[in-house]
Amino acid sequence: MTRTLVVVGHGMVGHRLVQALRDRDTAGTWRVVVLAEEPRPAYDRVALSSYVDHWDAGKLALENADHAGDDLVELHLGDPVVAVDRDARTVTTASGLVRGYDALVLATGSRPFVPPVPGHELPGCFTYRTVEDLDDIRAAAEGGGVGVVVGGGLLGLEAANVLRQLGLDTHIVEMAPRLMPLQVDEGGGALLRRLVEDLGPSVHCGVSTKEIAEAPDGLRVVLSDDTELTTGMVVFSAGVRPRDDLARACGLDVGERGGVLVDDACRTCDPNVYAIGEVAAVHGRCYGLVGPGYAMAEVVADQLLGGTATFPGADMSTKLKLLGVDVASFGDAHASTGGALEVVHNDPVSGCYKKLVISDDAGTLLGGILVGDATSYATLRPLVGQALPTDPGALIAPAGSAGTGIGVDALPDEGQVCSCNAVTKGTIKDAIVVGGCTDVAGIKACTKAGTTCGSCVPMLKQLLSSCGVEQSKAICEHFEYSRAELFEIIRATRVRTFSELVEKHGRGRGCDICKPAVASILASLGAGHVLEGEQATLQDTNDRFLANMQRNGTYSVIPRVPGGEITPEKLLVIAEVARDFGLYTKITGAQRIDMFGATVDQLPHIWRRLVDAGFESGHAYGKALRTVKSCVGSTWCRYGVQDSVGLAIELELRYRGLRSPHKIKAAVSGCARECAEARGKDFGVIATEEGWNLYVAGNGGFRPRHADLLVSDVEKETLIRLIDRFLMFYIRTADRLQRTSTWLESLEGGLDHLREVIVDDSLGICAELEEAMSEHVANYSDEWRGVLEDPEKLSRFTSFVNAPGIPDPSISFREERGQKVPVLLPVPTVGQTNEVAEVKQ
Amino acid sequence: MTAVAENLTWTPVCQYAALEPENGVAALLPDGTQIALFRVADGTAYAVSNLDPFSQAMVLARGIVGDRGGVPMVASPMHKQAFDLRTGQCLDNPETCIPTYPVRVADGMVEVAGR
Ligand SMILES: Cc1cc2nc3c(=O)[nH]c(=O)nc-3n(C[C@H](O)[C@H](O)[C@H](O)COP(=O)(O)OP(=O)(O)OC[C@H]3O[C@@H](n4cnc5c(N)ncnc54)[C@H](O)[C@@H]3O)c2cc1C
Ligand code: FES
């Protein structure tokens, strides 16, 4: 018999329950009705602040959140439950829907606490919990100005960061004497305040908000010390309160400090009713983090299926990077355990504060606080409650000094590596050793570890290598270095030939992996023509013949058509060349014309004609900038707001010939309609009324990815400066054949880190990056012209060394739709196994 | 590549000096066979069939030359399978082997023996 489960609230925890139940209830014993107040299916609230990076709510979507295709799940959005009748076992929604239940789960979460300050309901006052909240804040921030955040805790600092990203002059008001009072102690708080203030926001601690009043140009906020702030908006982020009103109304017990009172099994005083997530008060205690909520969801799924799981209590550790400052707090951070000892390392110069709390016998780690540098969080947190593997001082010694970097090996199998999803080291090891996971993505898919806040990902990597999964960074057998390291070696030592490099820094003679990679690095560093001397032998065939090899060994030719703009005269030249050499022609996806079927010996003749007519190499063959595609733009288009064609041409001419770890595609759209599909490109520019928005690290192809917004409304000079930095930073640090999209995803710290480096210049390398780009621009010359002018380079374009001028007799064509296409040789096929071609990214 | 039987017919192909180190060229034998001729880093010259058996295109002479674990090899420019230049053995697929041809240098001229 199928029973009915009604879930009230489709937040992160409610969703996890439905998912867990549907995964395990293979017999279909439960039908699930989900009644949700919000207008969209459950989304990743933990990542809510990242919404300002893209304003794309789709990116926050949780896996399978709409339960599409599952007949046993009925999801009603935008229709909150208003009443529960426990005798009749029914619930009623605002729209009048009535549903009966066999089991009811309350997963209604919390609401932001808004202190009852006079004026807290005025327009311009916001909370910070939902996508809609952020949309409202964004709209109000339109004109810039000042923003005040009430609350200097975890969420308050997140909100402050968002206001700062929206360009507001930000103030943080915190009643406690320090920021993040729940997580950090006085020492950590002092440093945190300094680091936050260094980034811009003004911090007011130890004061409360006395009054908010309407002022001529916005709101006037009066603090308890009579400071007055004139602001465009106030964001309340002063804690949360469980949404237990439904429970109260139907007579369920609630906790002393609110929340629906439940036992270890998450059951309320009514055995048919459960509560999970932030609304649940397990033995009176509410948990404001998603990890414990997920654990409760798993418990209830188990109970509904006849199991006996109970909630084990939870770890309230947190790590976050707020305003670019690392803060982590874990275990008994405030040393409240009797006799606990503290070991503190406070370095105001380098801006880091670390405290470990250990048991009175100095044998067990109890907790700790890290501010400024929380890299050791991933290893320290799972050690809580465990014997210390080494002297506690060594655990928090500054990075780089001896004794740091205790690894994952120190952790017992039952230690939790991922606290968000309660995954132990043992489970992850199983996934690697038994389940055969060979990378972080595999572990995520198999165990859910690393899928929520991501702070445990470094541990997952360590576990892979400690289980013997080769995570070698060596580019190939000839060099022990990654591409980024090779780049730095070549840059620093000014080695300019492969032979010298492999002799001094590698072994053997090189291969088809390291040679093209080094050739590309040399080219990025401006080592002259790509076919000069030894460099010619390093190139993949496409670069060796400056054309794209096709399946029958012939080549295709693509001249550059910057921005896709071309005159009729030039079109005629292409048409004549294609006709005279009998080439198949096709318009490419990148707004230019491809001519196919040229033999090696034809290439120079074809290019002589093209170069004479003013064409240059289009680098369609290279790991280099391909094109900057454009829409028609404001010159002709009646919707366009900026000249996208002009900018695309300027950018394409600036970056033409730039060699990189993989190809680079770009586009410029002249208005928000985005006809150039700029967000599918490595860098994309979209015109706004005020200037240009720059998006980075998009991709089409095999793994589509929407580009992320890096900056908005900048003028052209800033735009170009940022693209210069972005491209050069990518060229220096990416792996071989890594597109910008995968590069950004693998970059520790992701988009925030990228923004810090290339917008805020946190590493102090921007001047160098710009300098490198201006060298590229100054030294550019057309590769094909270089070949035509050099007899030695030209001499390589022959089919046979002993029969110059004779084309390869094995090449033949037939006709299809009025053009020629290749005929393959009539040779028996050999097995296509072990194809070692790289997957096109 | 010196120990070869006497009854081979040698075809002069090009000046040894015309071969660049770590590079290949294609040559046409009188019977129409296409070979790929390579000079590796230590100076040795090797000849193998120019036909890439995986793509059936005459392209091996245009592959990158180097070594795998010390074995001199060329990687097909089409899909990157590597072939041992000494034996023709494909290093990525044990079932595949390509023809090799004896090579010698006489009076500065590279000569290849057909089959
Ligand atoms: C900006 C931000 C950052 C955060 N960062 C972190 C972090 O780094 N780490 C961490 O662990 N946690 C973090 N959290 C907390 C985390 O998001 C919550 O712990 C988690 O979302 C709780 O899930 P829940 O399902 O219990 O509640 P919610 O996600 O709030 O979901 C409850 C849902 O129930 C709906 N609802 C309420 N009443 C009704 C009703 N009567 N009928 C129907 N539906 C109803 C609500 O509209 C809501 O959609 C963060 C929260 C925010 C806001
Ligand atoms: S600890 Fe948050 S995802 Fe693993």
Side-chain angles (χ1 to χ4, degrees):
Chain A
M1 192 202 64
T2 308
R3 289 173 293 170
T4 301
L5 166 71
V6 170
V7 179
V8 186
H10 199 222
M12 298 182 75
V13 174
H15 175 56
R16 171 59 73 94
L17 167 67
V18 179
Q19 218 183 5
L21 182 67
R22 292 296 302 125
D23 280 353
R24 288 187 222 162
D25 182 21
T26 42
T29 58
W30 286 96
R31 219 169 62 77
V32 186
V33 178
V34 185
L35 302 168
E37 173 190 61
E38 289 188 74
R40 66 191 80 243
Y43 53 91
D44 189 353
R45 204 178 305 284
V46 169
L48 182 64
S49 300
S50 71
Y51 181 50
V52 298
D53 293 333
H54 41 72
W55 299 110
D56 175 1
K59 282 202 176 177
L60 298 177
L62 292 175
E63 196 190 341
N64 195 22
D66 56 2
H67 299 284
D70 187 342
D71 295 338
L72 285 179
V73 180
E74 178 185 330
L75 173 62
H76 295 269
L77 298 173
D79 195 9
V81 171
V82 291
V84 176
D85 181 340
R86 292 201 284 127
D87 296 329
R89 287 212 231 141
T90 59
V91 298
T92 307
T93 70
S95 75
L97 202 70
V98 179
R99 283 289 183 271
Y101 64 81
D102 297 292
L104 175 68
V105 174
L106 301 174
T108 48
S110 311
R111 69 163 47 86
F113 169 65
V114 178
V117 194
H120 68 268
E121 275 169 336
L122 286 172
C125 291
F126 303 99
T127 55
Y128 194 84
R129 183 148 187 112
T130 64
V131 166
E132 286 69 26
D133 287 340
L134 263 75
D135 285 337
D136 293 344
I137 290 172
R138 180 193 193 188
E142 204 91 293
V146 178
V148 173
V149 175
V150 176
L154 197 150
L155 287 185
L157 293 189
E158 271 202 37
N161 193 31
V162 161
L163 296 194
R164 192 180 70 111
Q165 277 172 275
L166 291 172
L168 300 189
D169 188 1
T170 308
H171 292 259
I172 303 168
V173 181
E174 168 59 49
M175 224 156 58
R178 59 175 184 272
L179 294 173
M180 291 186 69
L182 295 183
Q183 286 85 8
V184 308
D185 59 1
E186 223 180 287
L191 176 65
L192 179 60
R193 175 178 185 149
R194 206 194 85 204
L195 295 175
V196 166
E197 287 190 321
D198 281 352
L199 290 157
S202 315
V203 177
H204 310 262
C205 282
V207 287
S208 55
T209 314
K210 204 157 82 180
E211 188 196 14
I212 302 170
E214 272 175 307
D217 40 1
L219 298 169
R220 189 168 40 90
V221 179
V222 187
L223 305 183
S224 55
D225 64 356
D226 292 329
T227 309
E228 288 197 10
L229 303 168
T230 306
T231 178
M233 71 169 83
V234 177
V235 177
F236 288 105
S237 208
V240 295
R241 296 291 180 268
R243 298 186 65 175
D244 54 14
D245 17 332
L246 273 180
R248 287 176 193 267
C250 69
L252 291 169
D253 292 343
V254 293
E256 244 170 66
R257 277 170 289 159
V260 184
L261 198 62
V262 296
D263 62 12
D264 284 345
C266 298
R267 212 182 284 258
T268 64
C269 56
D270 176 340
N272 299 315
V273 183
Y274 299 81
I276 56 177
E278 287 194 353
V279 75
V282 187
H283 295 301
R285 179 171 178 194
C286 289
Y287 294 85
L289 292 174
V290 73
Y294 278 175
M296 294 180 213
E298 300 284 343
V299 165
V300 171
D302 186 73
Q303 294 272 349
L304 290 173
L305 295 173
T308 55
T310 53
F311 179 67
D315 165 11
M316 297 302 282
S317 304
T318 22
K319 173 190 168 198
L320 42 150
K321 196 174 186 92
L322 291 166
L323 298 143
V325 182
D326 273 353
V327 184
S329 136
F330 53 94
D332 179 13
H334 294 285
S336 50
T337 312
L341 306 171
E342 296 186 0
V343 182
V344 178
H345 168 85
N346 191 356
D347 182 351
V349 180
S350 70
C352 86
Y353 173 91
K354 300 179 182 183
K355 180 176 92 174
L356 291 187
V357 179
I358 54 181
S359 60
D360 52 0
D361 61 355
T364 310
L365 181 65
L366 299 176
I369 294 170
L370 308 168
V371 177
D373 170 15
T375 39
S376 42
Y377 172 74
T379 28
L380 289 175
R381 189 197 42 75
L383 279 174
V384 171
Q386 313 284 345
L388 282 165
T390 164
D391 161 34
L395 291 175
I396 51 172
S401 63
T404 49
I406 54 123
V408 63
D409 295 338
L411 191 68
D413 278 358
E414 56 288 355
Q416 241 181 42
V417 169
C418 176
S419 62
C420 287
N421 298 286
V423 188
T424 61
K425 174 176 161 187
T427 309
I428 296 169
K429 267 174 43 187
D430 270 359
I432 299 171
V433 179
V434 185
C437 297
T438 54
D439 55 12
V440 171
I443 299 178
K444 283 183 176 175
C446 178
T447 66
K448 291 205 169 81
T451 53
T452 310
C453 75
S455 71
C456 58
V457 169
M459 289 280 277
L460 303 183
K461 288 188 187 153
Q462 281 186 28
L463 273 169
L464 277 165
S465 46
S466 85
C467 288
V469 176
E470 191 70 50
Q471 296 266 313
S472 165
K473 60 189 165 83
I475 185 166
C476 69
E477 66 179 72
H478 302 102
F479 292 97
E480 273 166 25
Y481 306 103
S482 65
R483 180 192 170 279
E485 289 167 334
L486 276 179
F487 193 103
E488 287 312 314
I489 290 172
I490 298 173
R491 194 166 71 93
T493 61
R494 313 203 129 261
V495 171
R496 281 298 175 266
T497 67
F498 181 84
S499 296
E500 190 186 342
L501 183 74
V502 76
E503 200 169 291
K504 288 192 179 149
H505 302 280
R507 67 177 91 82
R509 282 304 314 167
C511 65
D512 52 308
I513 294 172
C514 57
K515 283 186 169 181
V518 170
S520 157
I521 294 172
L522 289 172
S524 297
L525 287 168
H529 197 286
V530 294
L531 297 183
E532 199 59 56
E534 189 197 62
Q535 273 194 60
T537 67
L538 308 179
Q539 307 291 358
D540 266 320
T541 187
N542 284 1
D543 277 304
R544 178 118 55 110
F545 293 97
L546 307 181
N548 292 49
M549 182 184 265
Q550 303 299 331
R551 59 187 312 154
N552 64 344
T554 62
Y555 291 85
S556 73
V557 172
I558 305 187
R560 185 168 299 290
V561 178
E565 183 183 80
I566 187 164
T567 61
E569 287 70 27
K570 281 195 153 176
L571 274 175
L572 272 174
V573 173
I574 291 183
E576 284 166 4
V577 166
R579 183 195 57 204
D580 295 351
F581 290 89
L583 305 174
Y584 166 97
T585 52
K586 183 167 190 319
I587 311 279
T588 73
Q591 302 186 332
R592 39 196 198 173
I593 299 173
D594 203 345
M595 295 174 266
F596 291 79
T599 56
V600 166
D601 40 284
Q602 282 179 324
L603 289 171
H605 302 288
I606 292 171
W607 273 103
R608 176 91 59 202
R609 296 259 301 264
L610 293 171
V611 169
D612 284 348
F615 283 105
E616 321 183 308
S617 165
H619 291 100
Y621 47 80
K623 308 288 181 239
L625 175 87
R626 293 287 171 82
T627 59
V628 183
K629 186 174 169 179
S630 66
C631 67
V632 175
S634 57
T635 317
W636 287 93
C637 174
R638 63 205 159 94
Y639 301 110
V641 295
Q642 305 264 5
D643 175 14
S644 50
V645 181
L647 181 66
I649 294 174
E650 184 172 345
L651 293 175
E652 185 161 338
L653 295 181
R654 181 170 182 82
Y655 303 121
R656 65 187 159 176
L658 181 66
R659 301 281 162 152
S660 45
H662 210 306
K663 60 190 168 193
I664 298 172
K665 297 181 170 188
V668 181
S669 278
C671 77
R673 286 178 176 72
E674 238 283 73
C675 295
E677 297 164 329
R679 295 196 59 197
K681 306 293 183 207
D682 294 283
F683 68 90
V685 180
I686 302 178
T688 65
E689 299 283 348
E690 281 91 49
W692 305 96
N693 283 356
L694 173 59
Y695 294 83
V696 295
N699 199 0
F702 186 68
R703 276 189 56 202
R705 179 182 195 276
H706 255 151
D708 292 312
L709 180 64
L710 188 71
V711 288
S712 26
D713 293 329
V714 293
E715 89 297 2
K716 197 176 79 183
E717 284 64 41
T718 310
L719 177 79
I720 291 179
R721 189 151 17 94
L722 289 171
I723 302 175
D724 283 2
R725 296 173 179 180
F726 169 71
L727 290 177
M728 275 299 167
F729 187 49
Y730 162 64
I731 287 172
R732 283 195 181 179
T733 57
D735 275 337
R736 151 187 177 273
L737 300 185
Q738 190 175 38
R739 290 291 294 272
T740 54
S741 56
T742 32
W743 168 69
L744 180 62
E745 277 165 12
S746 69
L747 210 59
E748 219 142 289
L751 184 67
D752 280 343
H753 176 65
L754 179 69
R755 197 179 274 124
E756 281 160 27
V757 174
I758 67 172
V759 182
D760 309 332
D761 199 9
S762 63
L763 301 180
I765 58 170
C766 287
E768 212 177 287
L769 297 176
E770 286 172 35
E771 170 65 24
M773 188 62 84
S774 47
E775 263 176 49
H776 163 78
V777 175
N779 295 330
Y780 166 83
S781 66
D782 175 27
E783 277 167 11
W784 261 108
R785 182 182 288 277
V787 169
L788 297 175
E789 285 169 355
D790 179 354
E792 199 179 311
K793 294 192 183 85
L794 265 180
S795 71
R796 295 207 191 93
F797 289 80
T798 44
S799 291
F800 300 109
V801 65
N802 60 345
I806 298 192
D808 178 351
S810 72
I811 292 172
S812 63
F813 299 95
R814 62 188 171 82
E815 200 164 285
E816 194 176 284
R817 292 186 294 278
Q819 294 203 73
K820 72 176 195 186
V821 293
V823 175
L824 294 186
L825 287 182
V827 189
T829 327
V830 295
Q832 291 295 323
T833 50
N834 290 341
E835 168 128 346
V836 284
E838 254 118 356
V839 174
K840 187 176 160 128
Q841 304 191 22
Chain B
M1 282 290 187
T2 41
V4 284
E6 284 307 308
N7 57 355
L8 293 174
T9 37
W10 293 95
T11 305
V13 172
C14 65
Q15 292 288 331
Y16 179 77
L19 296 181
E20 291 173 89
E22 308 269 85
N23 204 1
V25 295
L28 205 51
L29 296 189
D31 65 351
T33 308
Q34 287 194 30
I35 59 154
L37 183 62
F38 300 95
R39 171 177 158 188
V40 303
D42 68 8
T44 316
Y46 295 103
V48 300
S49 164
N50 195 27
L51 181 73
D52 171 19
F54 295 95
S55 64
Q56 295 166 56
M58 293 285 187
V59 294
L60 290 185
R62 290 176 247 158
I64 289 178
V65 182
D67 79 279
R68 267 209 202 164
V71 174
M73 63 91 191
V74 62
S76 166
M78 203 60 87
H79 293 308
K80 302 277 160 77
Q81 291 91 350
F83 299 90
D84 185 338
L85 289 175
R86 302 167 308 185
T87 61
Q89 176 61 51
C90 176
L91 301 174
D92 296 301
N93 180 335
E95 272 130 57
T96 307
C97 194
I98 55 172
T100 57
Y101 301 87
V103 184
R104 70 180 182 195
V105 181
D107 285 341
M109 210 44 192
V110 183
E111 299 181 345
V112 177
R115 303 202 155 209

